[in-house]
Amino acid sequence: MGKGRTLAQVYRQFGEVDAAGTSPLYERVAVVLSESEEALRAIEAAPARKRHPTLILAALHDLALAGRAPELAAAYAAGDVDAAASAAIDTLLRMTDSVVDIAVRRRTRTDEAGHAAVLYPAIAEVARRVGAEAVGLIDVGCSAGFNLNVDRVGITYGNGQSLGDPSSPVQLSASVVGDRPIPTRAMPEVVARIGVDLDPVDVTDADDARWLRACLWPDQPDLSERRARLDAEMALAATAPPQLLRGDPLEVLPDAFARMPSDVLPVVTTTWALSRFTLESRLRFLHRLDEAAAGRAVAWVSVEGVGVAPSIPTFGDRRASGHSIIGLAVFDGSAMRAEAVGRCWSRGRLLAWLAD
């Protein structure tokens, strides 16, 4: 929560600012929650860091999708903002323990669909530099592991270029800024896929899959398109489920490297994951990659805010400038070579490739 702001102010701002114009349902529900002392007291039953509107609203949506809050589900389906606000308060008061339980166990999941458009050319490029004919992917902060299927989706860029599998059920598009083309080298064969997360989501588990749907806002303008893409991504992931390692990435990474076949290039990917780490933990993360490279080359592809990924150059850009840096690093023995190869915006839906 923002410093010094009351819970009521947080919910009112979420409704009037964050949800306004995107989700009339969430706009109304959040404002009505902000005006109900009973509702706010119920939300305060959750730990302080678990009271954010996106998480509590997703927990309510989860109960609606599970058939446990039929009035709320009906109001959402009808787009009836007043009925939704009334049903949300009723569900929250009647099922406070269930809402809190979901909020405590879960994190809200953002749409990961844009990541592949940035990751695919970067992984292919780092493999080319090392001369690797096969790679093993380790995604840190993997959530549902969709990044681990980067080679199995189709990507079309606004400049007419395309990468990946044109027949994949998951088709993504991204815009390109600037006149440099995206490198169109195909990614080498992916022989291992390992996700590392404090709380990974298993798409083959019905509760986990429903939670991903619950994180979509029930009336956002492109909901049917997003829902269809999420279902396609989950179905694709379920056809070759990655290995999911649960725990602190810094503790679990050595195990992930140990599971990599010895004749492949391990490529660690982080997409907007390191901002959740303290600076000290980011440096320990770098150290983990360095340790793993004692006996083999290890690559790291990072897509992080300006200045977030340690040792990745930033083109001199200012921090918190609204875009992210695409970085490549190769660890080999005691040496590390790091380079920034591009910028991206809007979670990878817009990118500028800048490397030669």
Side-chain angles (χ1 to χ4, degrees):
M1 294 293 146
K3 271 207 176 92
R5 286 194 303 152
T6 65
L7 194 58
Q9 288 169 326
V10 168
Y11 272 74
R12 177 170 287 281
Q13 176 166 353
F14 178 83
E16 293 179 346
V17 178
D18 301 343
T22 307
S23 170
L25 284 172
Y26 274 5
E27 180 178 0
R28 183 85 183 111
V29 168
V31 169
V32 168
L33 289 177
S34 80
E35 293 166 349
S36 163
E37 284 182 30
E38 277 185 304
L40 294 170
R41 264 203 305 279
I43 293 166
E44 281 170 349
R49 61 190 177 77
K50 293 290 192 172
R51 296 173 188 165
H52 193 274
T54 51
L55 185 57
I56 296 295
L57 290 170
L60 288 166
H61 194 194
D62 192 36
L63 292 171
L65 293 175
R68 296 172 63 194
E71 296 84 3
L72 185 61
Y76 279 172
D80 184 333
V81 295
D82 292 324
S86 157
I89 286 189
D90 179 57
T91 304
L92 182 58
L93 298 183
R94 199 165 39 84
M95 305 179 74
T96 304
D97 290 351
S98 299
V99 173
V100 169
D101 177 55
I102 294 168
V104 166
R105 280 189 304 121
R106 300 291 192 185
R107 280 193 293 135
T108 45
R109 303 288 166 170
T110 50
D111 184 2
E112 295 165 56
H115 301 190
V118 177
L119 286 176
Y120 190 114
I123 294 169
E125 175 62 19
V126 83
R128 180 189 71 79
R129 294 182 181 192
V130 177
E133 289 175 13
V135 297
L137 301 178
I138 300 173
D139 190 41
V140 172
C142 68
S143 185
F146 295 153
N147 284 349
L148 294 164
N149 283 315
V150 57
D151 57 316
R152 303 173 68 212
V153 305
I155 309 154
T156 307
Y157 296 95
N159 62 1
Q161 292 182 277
S162 61
L163 282 171
D165 178 0
S167 64
S168 171
V170 179
Q171 294 294 321
L172 309 173
S173 56
S175 305
V176 176
V177 186
D179 44 15
R180 285 224 177 141
I182 308 294
T184 50
R185 177 179 302 273
M187 196 184 297
E189 184 189 3
V190 178
V191 295
R193 305 170 199 271
I194 300 177
V196 174
D197 198 294
L198 276 171
D199 176 32
V201 173
D202 176 1
V203 298
T204 64
D205 177 275
D207 287 352
D208 279 8
R210 188 183 63 244
W211 174 248
L212 291 177
R213 295 187 183 101
C215 289
L216 297 176
W217 294 11
D219 62 337
Q220 57 197 81
D222 53 354
L223 178 67
S224 57
E225 185 186 310
R226 278 183 186 232
R227 200 178 271 156
R229 190 175 61 216
L230 175 62
D231 286 345
E233 286 184 312
M234 289 199 288
L236 183 65
T239 61
Q243 296 180 65
L244 298 175
L245 302 184
R246 179 185 297 271
D248 177 343
L250 296 172
E251 308 306 324
V252 177
L253 264 173
D255 183 17
F257 282 116
R259 292 167 186 242
M260 283 286 148
S262 59
D263 54 347
V264 307
L265 171 70
V267 180
V268 176
T269 55
T270 65
T271 52
W272 300 284
L274 294 184
S275 57
R276 293 197 292 271
F277 288 35
T278 62
L279 179 58
E280 184 197 9
S281 293
R282 289 177 217 170
L283 297 174
R284 279 182 62 208
F285 166 76
L286 211 57
H287 187 59
R288 282 278 185 250
L289 302 186
D290 201 36
E291 287 172 337
R296 69 192 323 180
V298 168
W300 170 34
V301 172
S302 63
V303 189
E304 303 283 354
V306 177
V308 171
S311 81
I312 300 293
T314 58
F315 301 115
D317 298 348
R318 285 201 318 276
R319 279 171 183 267
S321 43
H323 65 273
S324 300
I325 301 286
I326 308 163
L328 303 184
V330 175
F331 300 76
D332 205 348
S334 58
M336 181 194 75
R337 301 186 302 285
E339 185 187 338
V341 293
R343 295 186 180 97
C344 71
W345 296 259
S346 187
R347 293 270 161 170
R349 287 190 184 77
L350 186 68
L351 73 153
W353 191 268
L354 299 167
D356 295 323

